[in-house]
Structures are given as structure tokens and as C-alpha cells.
Amino acid sequence: MSAARITPRRAGTVTAAALASVLLAAGVAEAHVTVHPESYAKGATDGVLTFRVPNEEDHAYTSKVQVFLPTDHPVLGIMVHPQNGWTAKVTTTKLKTPVKTDDGTLTEAASEITFTGGRIAAGQYEDFDVAFGELPEDTGQLVFKTLQTYSDGKVVRWIGQPASGDDEPDDPAPVLKLTADDPTPAAAPAGAASAGASDSTARGLGTAGLVVGVLGLAAAAFALVRSRSAGRS
């Protein structure tokens, strides 16, 4: 078929398909459990971590989420925000090394948060908010291994950790980067979220660029069809 016989309807169909492919590819790339913001200052106090859990299955819903907190570098003062339809259970464990705080020495800390009773349907996600009293100061990152259970019994283990210089694993665990002291109060979630969102923003701009490119091709196709139609009239 020659270019002269491409109709506006067909050009629109091709454009829509191309645009859908771009957006689908962008969504698939991000379809794993993540923690937000992506970074906090070491020793930050009175903040909030949000664990975002997307559903990757077409024929099953997510029925259970287990987030495991590191105990070698414990997160102190864990509190879970009520979530409609979900029941949260916080499990504590005895620390090998007690942690000294302004309120005394702590010998136990949260080691697991289990969310049950709700559901995350196909094509949807859920944000689970967890408040903390204090983050550790003696490490550069916190890894939150997570298990995601589906209604059909499938369990996805988000526990992968990239080695130095390696690509991201297929099943990456949520990782929170801990940075040097920041003059901006770490207790303000909005500021922390802005600092941690730079990578997400860059990915979003990249996707937007692809979309603009597709729309540009669409405009060119319509212009070609219109000019050829005018020439024949």
C-alpha cells in the first residue's frame, strides 16, 4: 500500500497503537515493589516510608504483603497507618546489639510488617504508609525484602540485591538510600520525597519524550494525507 492511500483513520489507529506500546513499556519497567522516598538523611527522625505494591498478574489479585525490616540496622518506632480493607501486623524481634536512644536502651525492634485482608486488583497498586521514629546512622542503605502473595497462591519474592556494578536484578528488593546529614529537616516528608523523586522524575521525562515523538509522527502522517488529498481535488 502506497503512502498516498493511508487514510486519516488508519493513521490515527497506527498512532494510538504506537502510543499504547510506549506507555505499556514504561509501566512494565516500573512494575515492582518500591519504597518512597528513595532516600532519607542518616538518623532522620519522625518520617514516613511508603511501600508501593503493584499487581503484575492479569488473573489474580494481591492478597498479602510482607515487608521485612533489617535488624542489623534497625528502624525504630515503627507505626502503621490504617489502610482501608487491610489488617497490619507488626512483628518485633530481640536485637543482637541493643540501641541507645534519648529515651533509653532498646532491646527489641520491628522486624516484619504483614498486611492481609485486602486486595490489589490487576492493573492497580496500593500504597502502604509506615511511620518511623528514627533511622540508623551507621549504614548507607536499608534493604526491605518483601513477599507478595496472590490469590492463586503464587508468591513473588522481592529480595534481589544488585552486586557492585551489576544490573538491577529481576526481583529487586525495595532499597532506601541513607545520605549524609542534610540541612533540610528530614522529618518533613514532602522535602524528603522531593529529594528522593529525582530518579523517578527523570524516567518520567524520558517517557514524555517518547510520547511527544509519537505524537509528532502522527501530526506528520495527518499532514501528508491532507496534502495529498488537496492535490487530488
Side-chain angles (χ1 to χ4, degrees), residues 101-170:
T101 70
D102 294 338
D103 298 323
T105 300
L106 300 181
T107 59
E108 293 186 346
S111 58
E112 178 184 345
I113 306 174
T114 302
F115 300 93
T116 56
R119 62 171 60 191
I120 307 172
Q124 298 181 358
Y125 71 89
E126 191 81 60
D127 280 346
F128 298 94
D129 292 335
V130 178
F132 62 83
E134 184 177 353
L135 296 177
E137 299 180 347
D138 57 351
T139 184
Q141 67 177 23
L142 295 175
V143 178
F144 299 98
K145 296 181 179 181
T146 303
L147 301 185
Q148 181 177 10
T149 301
Y150 286 91
S151 55
D152 60 2
K154 178 180 178 180
V155 178
V156 180
R157 299 168 60 84
W158 300 104
I159 61 175
Q161 300 180 57
S164 179
D166 290 348
D167 294 333
E168 183 179 71
D170 294 333

Side-chain angles (χ1 to χ4, degrees), residues 45-58:
T45 58
D46 301 325
V48 175
L49 298 175
T50 299
F51 294 92
R52 177 161 294 176
V53 182
N55 188 353
E56 293 185 311
E57 297 295 314
D58 294 329

